[in-house]
Amino acid sequence: MAALSLLSPIPSSASLPPIYSLYHFKGTLQSNKTSSTSISGGFRSSWNLRIDSKAGKRQLGLMVSRNGGGGELDDMDEGQIENIGGQDEDDEEWTQAHAPSSSSSPERWDVLGLGQAMVDFSGVVDDAFLEKLDLEKGTRKLINHEERGRVLQAMDGCSYKAAAGGSLSNTLVALARLGCPSITDRPLNVAMAGSIAGDPLGSFYRTKLRRANVNFLSAPIMDGTTGTVIVLTTPDAQRTMLAYQGTSSVVNYDSCLASLISKTNVFVVEGYLFELPDTIRTITKACEEAHRNGALVAVTASDVSCIERHYDDFWDIVGNYADIIFANSDEARAFCHFSAEESPISATRYLSHFVPFVSVTDGINGSYIGAKGEAIYIPPSPCVPVDTCGAGDAYASGILYGILRGVTDLKGMGELAATIAATVVGQQGTRLRVQDAVELARSHDFRLNSVGTDVGS
């Protein structure tokens, strides 16, 4: 079968990168427009807030327990949140070496992601802790404002940290790190849109992403409360998640979002948005605007249960607008209404009849890239697993990086994505580390000018 021709490589000296248009069922990504100058400046990353000291944990516990539970957390200023914990050494070293020289925005964004913006509070607890709070291990549950305060207060004495969290933000941070200025003359311009409040947690979220060179561009909702997710991990590595949606439950389409999308090369929609009331209208209008301006549309599957509950809405977007889809094997089968006995490669091939570029991960078994009814198998990259959370997010960043950098070898693109995922699996935490990103991008630089790989080979 003929090779799937991807983007022409972007010369390192180029200051006017192309916008890319992927033509359905023709298997071709080609440039059809030019954009303007890239963002100047460097790259800083500091998105984790570690809360390890007893005093820090007690301070947060007292703050969230007052005023009916959770009120004081909303009243803290950003400096107080920062002072509870400390900066990661990796972040501090990178900040000193690569502080940006300008805060100006680019005229075009390489990638704009639309997703849920929520601050993560991640803690290590035992089974007794879950039993005390009557929580079912390994589940995801929506909680209200008061419940959030009670759980955080109960975590006094546990080891935990706060971060600008979310599946989409994991992908965007990894992408920004892969495309940082130390690797190329033209860093990737990466941004996110969503809903945060005009509160300290919202400022914390925006600041941490900005230091990771991901710009959060949506204006804050002044009378709201930023959403949070409490992630409780037990010694058997099971995660119990408690989500307080806050402002993240409302994502509206307005002139500001339309303007951002009109200046975007790749528009990524997070699958979790399909869970929110009336959001399908926002997603539809956003995808229409993206296609009208020649941008690629990528959709992340996010969760099997989410697909099952909103199957028709997903297919309205995937079938009519998606150029790229990211899913794991279970999610891919859910899209196809396949049984668990069906192979991931069958699901990949099926989806590729409807979506030009399909990316399906299958854990330790490897992954697949599909196009035009065929699929390429990507073997897993060897690693000693430490934490599998965030592997799919990291894999997606590798695919996006390959597309934006003009990789023409699909197998090589998949191998880069698999290596990035394995790197994240081999560490504690969901984010690709700065130095790892630099080394990975440099080691795979030779693939930017490599020849195409036949789909199905």
Side-chain angles (χ1 to χ4, degrees), residues 289-374:
E289 183 68 20
H291 271 194
R292 188 160 43 245
N293 288 276
L296 297 178
V297 172
V299 177
T300 69
S302 295
D303 183 75
V304 170
S305 61
C306 182
I307 296 169
E308 293 172 345
R309 285 192 295 269
H310 306 279
Y311 187 83
D312 291 341
D313 287 342
F314 261 104
W315 267 108
D316 282 344
I317 298 301
V318 169
N320 292 310
Y321 302 105
D323 302 299
I324 305 165
I325 188 167
F326 296 108
N328 64 30
S329 56
D330 291 332
E331 293 158 353
R333 281 188 284 259
F335 270 123
C336 305
H337 271 168
F338 284 179
S339 69
E341 287 70 36
E342 289 281 356
S343 66
I345 195 169
S346 296
T348 304
R349 287 169 175 160
Y350 181 84
L351 286 172
S352 71
H353 286 293
F354 305 94
V355 182
F357 190 103
V358 178
S359 170
V360 175
T361 57
D362 192 28
I364 61 173
N365 299 313
S367 57
Y368 302 88
I369 293 177
K372 298 185 293 183
E374 298 294 340

Side-chain angles (χ1 to χ4, degrees), residues 51-62 122-126 129 132 151-161:
I51 309 174
D52 294 323
S53 70
K54 184 175 181 180
K57 287 178 285 191
R58 187 168 300 280
Q59 180 184 355
L60 182 59
L62 290 171
S122 302
V124 178
V125 301
D126 55 22
F129 181 93
K132 179 181 177 181
V151 174
L152 288 174
Q153 182 185 11
M155 290 173 69
D156 183 24
C158 302
S159 174
Y160 57 93
K161 63 181 179 180

Side-chain angles (χ1 to χ4, degrees), residues 129-211:
F129 181 93
L130 300 180
E131 292 172 3
K132 179 181 177 181
L133 295 178
D134 196 25
L135 299 172
E136 183 180 352
K137 183 162 63 173
T139 60
R140 187 176 188 271
K141 174 185 176 183
L142 292 179
I143 59 175
N144 60 34
H145 194 251
E146 288 71 28
E147 289 173 315
R148 180 185 73 169
R150 286 197 295 270
V151 174
L152 288 174
Q153 182 185 11
M155 290 173 69
D156 183 24
C158 302
S159 174
Y160 57 93
K161 63 181 179 180
S167 173
L168 178 62
S169 66
N170 287 340
T171 297
L172 297 179
V173 167
L175 180 62
R177 289 180 168 181
L178 289 165
C180 71
S182 70
I183 302 171
T184 177
D185 291 341
R186 194 191 74 80
L188 294 179
N189 302 317
V190 182
M192 181 175 171
S195 293
I196 58 173
D199 60 2
L201 285 174
S203 297
F204 172 83
Y205 192 94
R206 188 188 302 274
T207 299
K208 296 312 175 187
L209 284 190
R210 181 64 193 93
R211 289 181 182 174

